[in-house]
Amino acid sequence: MDSKLAQPDAAALEDQQRNTKFDRRRRLIGAICGPLCALIVWATPISGLSPEGHKLAAIMTLVALWWITEPVPIPVTSLIGPTLCVIFDVVKMKDAFAAFANPTIFLFMGGFIIAKAMTVNGIDRRISYGIVSMRWVGDNPRRIFFAIGFACMLCSGWISNTATAAMMFPIALGLLESIKEMMAAKGKVINLKTYKYATGLMLMTAYACSIGGVLTPIGTPPNIIMLGFLNELSGINIGFFQWMIWGFVAMVIYFAIAYLLLVRMFPADVSRIEGAHEFVEEKRQALGKWTLAQKMTMVGFCIAVVLWVTPGVLSMALGNNSDVIKTYNRLFPEAIAAMIGALILFFLPGGRKADGRPRPVITWRQAVEGVEWGTLLLFGGGLAMGGMMYTTGLSQWIGDSIVAMMGGQPSQLVLVAVFCVVSLLMSELTSHTAATNMVGPLAIGAAVAAGFSPVPVAVGVALSASLGFMLPVSTPPNAIVYASGYVPITKMIKTGVVIDFIGIAFVTIPIALYLVNLVL
């Protein structure tokens, strides 16, 4: 493959420089305005709020602005919030940091370790190459388009969307090089940086990685964050299997929308991509036979999945109130299932080291590298701030205020739609994890204040936060493909806007309002 293919062109470099200048200004403005706005909130009399709630509102103002503008890393801001709450006597130390030991964090941690084992041992590559090299895909550009997206989607349901995009990116580049060589053989020279199909394939790679994350609670941080908020603020526990029901439906429809739109906007001008099947098949053959480490990784993964979905299967067979299900959920909650699947990987044999000594499927060093500690801290900080908003009455006050602004008694449709759009817009401008931490408690508080179940709006917020398709800064997969130079910023914005709002209007809101209620 021509290494120059991955290099951004002059226009892309210019866009990156503009983005860098924008980021510097954003951080500087945030560093100044964050504390200033917090002081203004603290100095402004607010009726109906307890002293603790008033102080928390000022601290939350600082945290929210710094999550958006990032004058310091987002995980650092997540620790600053609870620390200030202790210093200003909002809550005691034990209560401020209790959320960092929330069981949901260990669900995520277990998922990270399992995903790292799959990456280290090549399970992700074996799955993706296996899909793209299937005989039905062949050399057909539309089928290749579909297969690349399908492989990205399937993998990102279980492992990081960033890792999935980084893995699939070279495959997409190699296929584009095959097109370039085929065209050159026919006497036609093409510039892949202006070639429509190249832009579409890059966008498909990025979007499918984000779309796949909605499948499972561990697929992307917004899912697990909203489940944590539901449990922490409302005492509502949503099971792994329950989430997968509406997550699967959302994923399939989102993918269909993205595929149909991108194929139409960025069609290939050839009927066959000669050499494409051979390129992928060569990559697949190079993986060789399944190794012991790969087999044992799948054992640990399957154990976790079976433990996760068993409650859903039992509930369908025995009913939700069965003593068997209650006992199972007490002994094997989702976090314990994840930890069992992860911890067993340290005991299962993965082959031998160079000196002949046995080695496990994954080492502790590899596991530590696989855990996104910053995400866990951000998640813990979000749960901590959300919990304190609830205990101090700030969440109720904000919820009542939002409901009052909507006319006193908004319909559930309007409430869900508003927070879906807010979640989407926030996730386009900042980390979707930070956006969910900010919007989640407000959405749940407003739903409770309006007399609705908080589950539909929570699901809507989580799904909407995964639809950050408009800008390179929205998600890491967007940034990865944008760096190739094949995706003009205008094309990403144009396609992202269309998919975002079609997705919210025809997928997210209907699922949140109707499918969620049917499942519950």
Side-chain angles (χ1 to χ4, degrees):
M1 184 195 311
D2 184 356
S3 62
K4 293 181 180 179
L5 284 178
Q7 301 299 320
D9 60 11
L13 284 173
E14 187 178 343
D15 284 340
Q16 290 175 4
Q17 290 171 355
R18 281 198 296 266
N19 287 337
T20 302
K21 291 179 181 178
F22 171 77
D23 285 339
R24 284 201 297 266
R25 293 194 191 100
R26 176 169 62 99
R27 293 189 181 103
L28 178 61
I29 292 171
I32 297 171
C33 292
L36 183 61
C37 291
L39 287 172
I40 292 172
V41 172
W42 179 73
T44 303
I46 302 177
S47 60
L49 264 183
S50 65
E52 292 78 14
H54 193 168
K55 287 184 284 188
L56 180 60
I59 295 170
M60 196 67 208
T61 300
L62 171 66
V63 169
L65 288 174
W66 277 15
W67 270 338
I68 295 171
T69 58
E70 298 183 67
V72 297
I74 288 178
V76 173
T77 301
S78 302
L79 292 170
I80 289 174
T83 300
L84 290 176
C85 288
V86 176
I87 293 173
F88 290 96
D89 199 27
V90 176
V91 294
K92 303 294 184 184
M93 171 77 176
K94 181 179 178 181
D95 298 325
F97 289 91
F100 288 89
N102 189 289
T104 313
I105 288 183
F106 292 91
L107 167 59
F108 225 178
M109 185 184 296
F112 281 146
I113 294 174
I114 294 172
K116 181 63 175 181
M118 296 176 72
T119 303
V120 165
N121 293 305
I123 296 294
D124 52 354
R125 293 188 297 277
R126 192 171 287 279
I127 292 172
S128 60
Y129 287 146
I131 293 171
V132 181
S133 67
M134 286 182 178
R135 191 172 298 278
W136 64 268
V137 177
D139 295 332
N140 185 291
R142 284 199 172 196
R143 292 179 184 175
I144 289 173
F145 205 90
F146 180 90
I148 288 285
F150 185 78
C152 290
M153 180 180 69
L154 185 64
C155 289
S156 64
W158 303 96
I159 67 174
S160 159
N161 61 3
T162 306
T164 303
M167 172 189 66
M168 296 300 296
F169 182 62
I171 301 176
L173 287 178
L175 292 171
L176 293 176
E177 173 66 5
S178 296
I179 294 178
K180 184 178 180 181
E181 291 176 354
M182 180 192 70
M183 293 291 201
K186 294 180 178 181
K188 182 178 179 181
V189 178
I190 63 170
N191 181 1
L192 290 177
K193 298 184 187 301
T194 58
Y195 189 54
K196 280 189 174 183
Y197 186 77
T199 300
L201 192 62
M202 288 290 104
L203 289 175
M204 189 56 160
T205 302
Y207 292 171
C209 289
S210 296
I211 289 169
V214 306
L215 174 62
T216 65
I218 63 170
T220 187
N223 301 352
I224 204 78
I225 288 171
M226 291 312 300
L227 293 183
F229 279 140
L230 283 173
N231 189 39
E232 189 83 7
L233 305 182
S234 304
I236 298 173
N237 181 55
I238 302 297
F240 201 96
F241 186 79
Q242 286 177 303
W243 179 277
M244 283 191 67
I245 293 175
W246 55 68
F248 175 78
V249 174
M251 180 186 73
V252 170
I253 303 177
Y254 285 149
F255 182 75
I257 292 170
Y259 172 75
L260 294 173
L261 183 67
L262 291 174
V263 163
R264 185 176 182 85
M265 292 180 66
F266 306 103
D269 55 357
V270 293
S271 59
R272 292 180 64 250
I273 303 175
E274 294 179 10
H277 182 73
E278 289 76 9
F279 169 80
V280 177
E281 181 62 21
E282 181 182 341
K283 293 283 187 182
R284 190 186 70 82
Q285 292 290 345
L287 297 176
K289 295 181 179 180
W290 280 74
T291 64
L292 177 62
Q294 290 172 340
K295 294 175 182 177
M296 292 299 101
T297 300
M298 290 304 298
V299 169
F301 172 72
C302 291
I303 287 173
V305 172
V306 168
L307 291 174
W308 279 328
V309 302
T310 294
V313 176
L314 290 177
S315 67
M316 289 190 295
L318 305 175
N320 291 327
N321 296 320
S322 169
D323 291 336
V324 174
I325 295 178
K326 292 178 182 178
T327 302
Y328 184 92
N329 287 334
R330 186 176 70 253
L331 300 177
F332 299 102
E334 284 89 351
I336 293 298
M339 295 309 295
I340 290 173
L343 294 175
I344 201 172
L345 298 175
F346 294 96
F347 296 93
L348 293 174
R352 293 190 176 276
K353 299 179 181 178
D355 58 6
R357 291 183 299 168
R359 65 174 178 83
V361 172
I362 188 172
T363 65
W364 177 246
R365 183 184 296 275
Q366 291 169 334
V368 169
E369 292 173 352
V371 175
E372 297 180 22
W373 299 105
T375 299
L376 294 183
L377 290 176
L378 174 54
F379 180 40
L383 283 180
M385 299 304 290
M388 287 184 282
M389 288 174 67
Y390 179 76
T391 56
T392 61
L394 177 60
S395 179
Q396 181 67 38
W397 180 84
I398 293 175
D400 290 339
S401 301
I402 292 173
V403 170
M405 286 189 292
M406 291 183 177
Q409 187 56 47
S411 68
Q412 192 176 31
L413 171 61
V414 171
L415 189 75
V416 170
V418 166
F419 280 105
C420 283
V421 173
V422 171
S423 176
L424 169 65
L425 295 177
M426 290 294 294
S427 68
E428 292 286 4
L429 299 174
T430 187
S431 157
H432 61 359
T433 309
T436 309
N437 271 330
M438 287 182 282
V439 178
L442 304 182
I444 291 174
V448 172
F452 300 126
S453 166
V455 179
V457 73
V459 172
V461 167
L463 295 179
S464 299
S466 294
L467 295 179
F469 296 152
M470 291 194 296
L471 298 169
V473 298
S474 301
T475 64
N478 288 10
I480 288 172
V481 301
Y482 177 70
S484 69
Y486 299 163
V487 183
I489 189 67
T490 52
K491 298 293 185 183
M492 181 175 283
I493 292 173
K494 181 179 178 180
T495 55
V497 167
V498 176
I499 297 176
D500 279 349
F501 285 97
I502 289 178
I504 280 187
F506 297 102
V507 184
T508 307
I509 294 174
I511 285 177
L513 288 175
Y514 302 110
L515 182 58
V516 166
N517 289 324
L518 285 175
V519 173
L520 296 177

